[in-house]
């Protein structure tokens, strides 16, 4: 079996192959060596500026201080590396008093010019740090890409490597010269991921990043998991340098978001393809699944064509008018600031290099001016058409030939949302004015023959007819396989009883009724869905207490996710809005039983609701609203204790922000929106990971359906699936869902795996998997030492648990919940058995199997708990605190509920809770119960740590650090070798205390610490 050192050695060898262009530097062994190497590169890059006088020791100290200032946070480091005009610089006052500007890194010098590429490994860091990294890739001596490796037998090895990077970051490893690190790569050889450096060196920032560990895929979407294949494709030069310089984006909304984003493989492939096509004056379209980041792809493609392409005179990004009104302005403020264009505009805070978003005159001036590769034009087709007319008129008025020059230029248009942003008629109009233009369209829902538009005359009806050939596809199936978006769960509800439906159809059709359920549904009169009875029943279904807990992801009593309710007309949207408001005021909106005290809604203001719909654009521009809209905006303002808007556009923008919850002010104190009622607004282009559920009170199909569904499937570490709940014509909607996913999965792919499953199907799967699990359990009882039997049982359990989690998320589950009581009570027992089995499996695999056998054996089992789609109900800290308060307030039945829940706790912690209970019962004086509990737990943890430090003669400070960073699922002891160095026990004392040979002290210490740390972890879970 390959060791980590074997993998590291082969990795460095491949990097160092001539075609990959990295030079191995075994002579660089310490952080001091790294600094020395960087200073030598500064000398090399700045010969003329330094006048052949190399940097002195005093000057290098100044550079170290200045670099620390420039790279004080991950964001600042990324910003500095982009530099002015793409050049990173350091200002130095020389020993002579002369000020010079030193060049450190050139973004454009890719595979040539002044750039130097080196690889180092196992660097011994400054003495203050207790860690050392595996492999680091240097450009001009600066650490840019850092790689952590694990051996193959660690099935969750890349996650272990990720957690190791997190520990290093928290320890301060990525400070000093390592502060310039931009990209991380983690691998256990058989599974490799890359990700951008998180925004902060904190557990919270790394937790957020867990969903953004990307694997590499080829242009045909074939995964490249093997480390060595990944190295030859992604880490070779020029690709690795391009990844840093061209395919990362700095996000800065000038408020609370500042982080580095690296593009996914499909985005990179699409941009490269666009650049190749543009060079040949040929257009085409990109098909990237809805929710996969087309706007960013469009923007980066626009930027790179503007700045780096030969033969392209100007590049214009065209966006949809609705998007621009809604949220695109904010998006461009975030990732299109001056720091991303490779050009500095001095002290300007706002971005002055992105033109056309708001100012039509500015767009006109830019079109008529000499081309500027650092000016990026972003506009709508309406503003572009107007600007083109103005440009022509201005040029004729002044008697210049500026417009004629523009007509001869090669202008490339990149259209984000290909069909919504530009019609074929509008495109033809622009093409007449700019005959040398080339057009690219990006869409998540292409138009094919099957769903083609009904256009008059010769106008294009499909995407290919309008833009040209398909250049790159990344379909919904690819995106789900790649975990770039979440899957969907659809529930089909009919609010009509079957016999009522039959009677209504018979009445409407003079007694005739088809046997085909879809034809039956087509005969239902539309007004059936518009009466109060239907709306009342729908709202009671949405706001059933148990459904609310799931669909709005209620945590600690408050909703953490939001929903959208779409109807077929503005009139219907208003009817729903007024009925909801009335029921909320009357206190009749929430229905049904709550789960239990552990899962309940305590938010008294839930739901915070808004209604929004697209009115006539001219009416928007004139700012004319009817009295009803004024009343709606006033009601909206009252919810948030704010001044009412008198402008519909501002009202809609405020709704967008509260629904998206991207800004801190809308994440706290009930300042968010729980539900927004719409017709078509927000169903295309609106992007918010906190939207979890779409309620559908209308018929939908094809692109409208997929675009609407995709509001719910953005990745968030808080959710597992996008939820869709329909209330009309269930059989019709089932057919439409199937047709939609077939069309947009690409005909060469298996679309059936994409179709969201109904509750009945999930239940059948669960029952089948339960049988498989019990069979695997029986086989292991017969042969308890067989590793294959162990693996089969763990695999069976993980599939069963995943299926149960899916089953629970359906509302129908609640109607049958009593049938699952036995399984629910057995979950803790099953969980414990399988966690123990995973430990045994790891031990046996290392002893008995070689690499290939291990890979095959573990193909169906996951060791990392957060990757495992599992779920278990826990008696969490929030719930226990509620029960303690109930005891203190002498609530009826509190003691019985407390005793019942504490019995589900680990036996280790039960005595403490018994002691707390007795103290609360027998004390009349007011006590802070939460502080009381936390103090008791912290005392236990401190006692366990101090006792072990004393018993084994270990550094108490280092032991506390190791205990804090230890993760039970990883079973890796942080700082083990350093702890061993601090141990003061003599050989004799060690052997007497442990009963083990001194030569085994490393393994023995690891086992003793792991046992104690696992106990400490159990106490931490109670905090």
């Amino acid at each position: 079996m390959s060791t980590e050192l074997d993998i590291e050695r082969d990795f460095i060898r491949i990097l160092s192959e001539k075609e990959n262009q990295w030079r191995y530097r075994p002579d660089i062994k310490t952080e001091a060596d790294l600094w020395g190497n960087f200073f030598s590169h500064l000398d090399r890059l700045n010969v003329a500026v330094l006048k052949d006088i190399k940097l002195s020791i005093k000057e290098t100290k100044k550079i170290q201080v200045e670099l620390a200032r420039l790279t004080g946070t991950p964001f600042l480091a990324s910003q500095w590396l982009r530099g002015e005009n793409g050049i990173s610089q350091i200002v130095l006052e020389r020993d002579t008093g002369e000020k010079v500007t030193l060049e450190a890194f050139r973004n454009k010098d890719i595979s040539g010019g002044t750039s130097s590429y080196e690889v180092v490994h196992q660097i011994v860091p400054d003495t203050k740090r207790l860690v050392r990294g595996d492999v680091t890739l240097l450009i001009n001596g600066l650490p840019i890409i850092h790689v952590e490796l694990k051996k193959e037998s660690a099935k969750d090895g890349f996650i272990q490597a990720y957690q190791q990077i997190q520990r290093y970051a928290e320890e301060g490893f990525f400070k000093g010269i390592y502060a310039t690190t931009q990209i991380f790569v983690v691998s256990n050889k058989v599974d490799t991921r890359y990700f951008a450096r998180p925004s902060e060196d904190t557990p919270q920032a790394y937790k957020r990043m867990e969903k953004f560990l990307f694997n590499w895929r080829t242009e045909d979407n074939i995964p490249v998991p093997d480390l060595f294949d990944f190295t030859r494709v992604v880490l070779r030069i020029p690709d690795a340098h391009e990844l840093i310089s061209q395919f990362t984006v700095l996000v800065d909304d000038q408020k609370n978001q500042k982080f580095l984003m690296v593009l996914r493989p499909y985005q990179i492939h699409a941009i490269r393809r666009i650049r190749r096509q543009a060079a040949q004056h040929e257009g085409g379209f990109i098909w990237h699944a809805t929710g996969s980041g087309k706007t960013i792809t469009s923007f980066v493609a626009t930027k790179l064509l503007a700045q780096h392409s030969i033969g392209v005179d100007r590049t214009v990004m065209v966006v949809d008018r609705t998007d621009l009104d809604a949220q695109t302005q904010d998006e461009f403020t975030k990732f299109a600031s001056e720091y991303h264009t490779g050009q500095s505009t001095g002290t300007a805070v706002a971005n002055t290099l992105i033109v056309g978003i708001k100012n039509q005159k500015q767009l006109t001036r830019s079109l008529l001016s000499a081309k500027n590769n650092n000016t990026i034009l972003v506009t709508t087709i309406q503003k572009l058409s107007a600007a083109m007319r103005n440009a022509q008129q201005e040029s004729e008025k002044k008697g210049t030939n500026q417009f004629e020059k523009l007509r001869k230029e090669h202008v490339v248009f990149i259209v984000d949302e290909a069909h919504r942003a530009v019609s074929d008629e509008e495109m033809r109009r622009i093409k007449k004015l700019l005959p040398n233009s080339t057009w690219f369209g990006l869409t998540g829902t292409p138009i094919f023959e099957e769903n083609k538009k009904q256009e008059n005359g010769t106008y294009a009806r499909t995407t290919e007819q309008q833009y040209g050939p398909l250049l790159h596809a990344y379909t919904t199936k690819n995106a789900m396989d790649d975990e770039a978006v979440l899957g969907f769960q659809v529930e089909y509800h009919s609010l009509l009883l079957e016999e009522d439906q039959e009677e209504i159809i018979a009445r409407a059709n003079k007694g005739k009724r088809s046997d085909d359920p879809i034809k039956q549904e087509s005969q239902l009169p539309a007004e059936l869905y518009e009466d109060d009875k239907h709306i009342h029943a729908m709202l009671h279904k949405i706001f059933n207490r148990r459904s609310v807990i799931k669909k709005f992801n209620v945590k600690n009593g408050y909703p953490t996710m939001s929903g959208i309710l779409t109807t077929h007309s503005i009139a219907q949207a208003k009817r729903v809005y007024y009925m909801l408001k009335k029921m909320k005021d009357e206190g009749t909106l929430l229905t049904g039983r709550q789960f239990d005290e552990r899962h309940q809604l305590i938010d008294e203001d839930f739901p915070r609701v808004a209604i929004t719909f697209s009115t006539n654009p001219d009416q928007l521009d004139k700012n004319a609203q009817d009295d009803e809209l004024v009343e709606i905006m006033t009601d909206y303002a009252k919810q948030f204790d704010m001044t009412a808007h008198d402008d519909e556009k501002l009202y809609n923008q405020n709704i967008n922000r509260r629904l998206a919850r991207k800004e801190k002010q809308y994440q706290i104190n009930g300042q968010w929106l729980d539900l927004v009622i719409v017709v078509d607004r927000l169903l295309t282009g609106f992007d918010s990971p906190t939207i979890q559920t779409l309620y559908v009170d209308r018929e939908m199909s094809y692109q409208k359906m997929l675009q609407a569904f995709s509001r719910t499937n953005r990745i968030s570490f808080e959710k597992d699936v996008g939820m869709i709940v329909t209330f009309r014509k269930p059989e019709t909607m089932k057919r439409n869902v199937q047709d939609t996913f077939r069309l947009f999965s690409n005909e060469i792919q298996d679309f059936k795996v994409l179709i969201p499953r109904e509750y009945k199907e999930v239940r059948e799967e669960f029952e089948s998997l339960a049988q498989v699990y019990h069979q695997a359990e029986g086989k292991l009882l017969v042969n308890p030492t067989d590793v294959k039997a162990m693996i089969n049982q763990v695999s069976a359990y993980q599939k069963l648990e995943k299926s149960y989690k899916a089953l629970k998320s359906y509302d129908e589950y609640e109607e049958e919940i009593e049938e699952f009581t036995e399984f629910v009570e057995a979950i803790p027992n099953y969980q414990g058995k399988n966690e123990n089995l995973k430990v045994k499996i790891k031990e046996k695999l290392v002893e008995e199997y070689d690499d290939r056998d291990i890979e095959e054996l573990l193909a169906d089992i996951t060791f990392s708990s957060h990757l495992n789609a599992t779920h278990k109900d826990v008696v969490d800290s929030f719930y226990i605190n509620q029960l303690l308060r109930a005891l203190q307030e002498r609530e009826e039945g509190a003691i019985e509920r407390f005793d019942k829940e504490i019995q589900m706790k680990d036996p280790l912690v039960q005595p403490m809770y018994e002691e707390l209970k007795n103290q609360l019962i027998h004390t009349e004086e007011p006590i802070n119960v939460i502080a009381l509990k936390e103090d008791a737990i912290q005392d236990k943890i401190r006692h366990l740590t101090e006792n072990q430090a004393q018993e084994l003669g270990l550094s108490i400070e280092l032991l506390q650090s190791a205990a804090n960073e230890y993760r039970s699922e990883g079973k890796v002891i942080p700082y083990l070798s350093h702890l061993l160095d601090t141990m003061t026990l003599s050989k004799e004392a060690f052997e007497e205390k442990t009963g083990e040979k001194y030569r085994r002290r490393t393994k023995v210490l690891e086992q003793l610490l792991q046992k104690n740390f696992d106990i400490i972890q159990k106490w931490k879970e109670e905090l």
Side-chain angles (χ1 to χ4, degrees), residues 432-447:
K432 282 183 181 177
L433 292 171
L434 299 173
N436 294 323
S437 61
T438 303
W439 293 73
F440 296 95
L442 284 86
T443 179
T445 50
I447 296 175

Side-chain angles (χ1 to χ4, degrees), residues 394-635:
E394 277 191 31
S395 185
E396 290 170 357
K397 188 176 179 181
K398 293 178 180 177
T400 67
N401 64 349
Q402 287 174 304
F403 189 74
E404 282 307 309
K405 284 183 179 178
L406 177 64
R407 281 176 54 81
K408 292 175 183 177
E409 287 183 357
H410 180 207
V411 182
V412 175
F413 291 93
I414 294 180
V415 184
D416 183 36
E417 294 299 348
H419 296 290
R420 287 191 293 113
V422 178
S423 70
D424 190 45
E425 182 180 5
E426 291 165 327
M427 185 187 292
R428 291 188 187 191
R429 198 158 49 236
I430 299 294
K431 279 183 174 179
K432 282 183 181 177
L433 292 171
L434 299 173
N436 294 323
S437 61
T438 303
W439 293 73
F440 296 95
L442 284 86
T443 179
T445 50
I447 296 175
F448 302 105
E449 281 296 317
E450 186 170 338
N451 62 323
K452 66 186 177 185
K453 296 183 286 186
Q454 299 303 311
E455 293 285 5
N456 296 322
T458 61
Y459 289 123
R461 298 187 180 192
T462 68
T463 310
E464 186 166 353
Q465 288 169 4
Q466 184 172 346
Y467 285 94
L470 173 64
L471 304 180
H472 188 260
Y474 184 78
T475 68
T476 302
K477 185 177 190 307
N478 296 140
M480 288 183 184
D481 289 345
D482 212 18
E483 298 178 347
V485 296
L486 300 173
F488 300 110
Q489 170 186 301
V490 184
E491 296 179 26
Y492 306 94
H493 294 288
S494 175
L495 302 177
L496 280 174
L497 294 174
E498 192 174 334
E499 53 268 29
D500 290 347
Q501 178 172 310
E502 290 177 359
E503 185 183 333
I504 291 167
I505 292 170
R507 265 203 321 266
N509 294 277
K510 298 178 181 178
K512 295 178 182 178
R513 182 175 59 82
S514 171
D515 291 332
D516 183 342
I518 293 179
K519 285 184 179 176
Q520 277 188 33
E521 290 176 351
S522 71
Q523 294 170 347
L524 289 167
E527 56 269 21
L528 182 70
Y529 300 105
E530 294 170 0
D531 67 14
D532 287 352
K533 187 178 176 183
H534 168 80
I535 296 170
H536 193 274
M538 177 176 68
L539 291 174
H540 268 171
K541 196 83 175 173
I542 292 172
F543 293 105
N544 175 278
R545 285 182 174 85
R546 292 192 170 201
S547 183
V548 164
I549 296 296
K550 300 171 187 176
K551 301 301 192 288
F552 293 87
N553 199 27
V554 174
K555 301 285 185 187
N556 293 346
Y558 289 85
T560 63
M561 295 284 162
S562 304
I564 294 176
L565 167 60
T566 175
T567 70
H568 69 284
S569 68
I570 293 175
Q572 176 75 348
K574 289 177 179 176
R575 280 191 284 267
V576 174
Y577 172 73
Y578 289 125
M579 174 76 78
L580 191 158
K581 195 171 157 230
K582 178 173 178 285
M583 291 168 70
K584 182 182 177 183
D585 290 343
E586 293 172 348
T588 61
L589 187 61
L590 288 168
T591 62
R593 295 177 298 130
Q594 64 181 30
F595 272 103
D596 50 37
E597 287 165 309
R598 198 180 326 149
H599 305 93
Q600 63 174 302
L601 182 74
I602 63 173
D603 183 357
E604 294 179 357
D605 295 322
F606 178 86
R608 298 158 188 80
V609 177
I611 178 172
T612 177
F613 39 82
S614 299
T615 54
N616 185 302
D618 294 330
Q619 183 183 356
L620 269 177
D621 293 341
K622 291 172 185 173
N623 194 23
Q625 295 96 16
D626 57 28
D627 292 340
E628 190 174 25
L629 185 56
V630 171
E631 183 187 336
I632 286 170
M633 291 192 293
T634 302
D635 286 342

Side-chain angles (χ1 to χ4, degrees), residues 72-91:
T73 67
F75 181 84
L76 285 173
S78 300
Q79 187 175 304
W80 174 71
L81 278 171
R82 272 147 187 76
E84 295 189 17
N85 296 306
I87 301 171
S88 313
Q89 298 173 327
I90 298 174
V91 176

Side-chain angles (χ1 to χ4, degrees), residues 621-834:
D621 293 341
K622 291 172 185 173
N623 194 23
Q625 295 96 16
D626 57 28
D627 292 340
E628 190 174 25
L629 185 56
V630 171
E631 183 187 336
I632 286 170
M633 291 192 293
T634 302
D635 286 342
Y636 175 79
K638 286 177 184 175
Q639 287 186 100
F640 303 107
D641 194 24
M642 58 185 276
T643 304
H645 291 291
D646 57 6
D647 182 302
E648 185 178 355
K649 189 178 288 188
L650 293 176
Y651 165 70
N652 283 335
Q653 287 175 358
N654 193 265
I655 286 174
N656 294 349
R657 290 191 167 109
R658 290 185 191 275
L659 182 63
R661 299 197 199 192
K662 290 182 178 179
E663 299 167 48
K664 281 185 179 175
Q665 69 195 80
Y666 302 128
Q667 297 167 359
I668 58 171
N669 301 327
Q671 291 300 307
W672 59 82
L673 271 167
D674 297 306
L675 183 74
V676 178
I677 302 167
V678 306
V679 180
D680 290 316
R681 266 206 89 242
L682 305 180
L683 297 187
T684 55
F686 188 77
D687 175 20
S688 172
T690 54
I691 296 172
Q692 176 165 275
T693 307
L694 174 72
Y695 297 99
V696 183
D697 183 35
R698 63 190 289 187
E699 287 183 62
M700 305 185 97
S701 62
Y702 292 129
Q703 58 266 34
K704 268 199 171 183
M705 172 180 277
L706 186 56
Q707 285 167 351
F709 280 21
S710 296
R711 295 319 99 207
T712 70
N713 75 336
R714 301 308 201 265
I715 288 176
S716 167
F717 73 89
E718 286 286 348
K719 67 181 180 183
D720 302 297
V721 71
M723 295 182 174
I724 316 295
V725 183
T726 72
F727 297 110
R728 295 192 189 189
K729 303 184 180 180
E731 298 303 323
T732 304
M733 287 297 286
K734 286 177 197 174
R735 179 200 62 190
N736 292 354
V737 166
Q738 181 160 332
D739 289 348
T740 296
F741 281 98
R742 174 181 48 76
L743 184 65
F744 293 117
S745 67
N746 206 350
E747 60 188 35
I748 62 172
Q749 299 176 356
D750 179 12
F751 78 94
K752 290 180 181 177
V753 301
L754 295 179
I755 298 172
R757 298 180 301 165
E758 294 180 58
Y759 174 78
K760 181 182 175 185
E761 187 182 347
V762 177
R763 169 153 189 169
E764 287 172 356
E765 177 199 69
F766 170 79
E767 289 167 348
S768 173
L769 289 171
Q771 284 186 336
V772 171
Y773 174 74
H774 290 306
Q775 288 167 1
E777 201 174 37
K779 288 178 181 177
L780 185 61
L781 282 172
V782 175
N783 195 350
T785 60
D786 180 40
V787 72
K788 290 184 181 177
M790 292 179 192
I791 290 170
N792 287 340
Q793 180 171 327
V794 172
S795 172
Y797 173 70
Q798 290 181 344
K799 289 174 183 174
L800 177 64
E801 195 176 30
K802 181 178 180 180
S803 179
Y804 179 61
K805 182 180 182 182
L807 188 74
K808 284 179 61 180
S809 63
Y810 289 83
D811 286 349
E812 290 97 322
Y813 168 83
E814 300 306 326
E815 298 165 13
E816 305 176 350
I817 192 167
E818 289 77 14
E819 298 177 36
F820 299 95
T821 303
E822 187 179 339
F823 176 76
V824 171
E825 290 176 351
I827 285 176
N829 183 36
Y830 292 166
Q831 180 79 22
K833 279 184 184 178
N834 286 277

Side-chain angles (χ1 to χ4, degrees), residues 238-276:
D239 296 75
H241 197 149
E242 283 183 345
L243 187 66
I244 299 299
S245 297
Q246 298 184 359
F247 300 123
T248 57
V249 178
L250 271 175
V251 177
D252 178 10
D253 65 0
Q254 299 175 10
K255 293 174 187 172
N256 66 322
Q257 291 191 79
K258 292 179 185 289
F259 60 89
L260 180 68
M261 178 190 296
V262 61
L263 299 192
R264 293 175 182 264
Y266 59 84
Q267 295 173 304
I268 294 170
H269 294 315
I271 292 166
R272 285 173 172 164
R273 191 68 199 274
I274 287 171
R275 293 173 75 180
R276 289 200 299 270

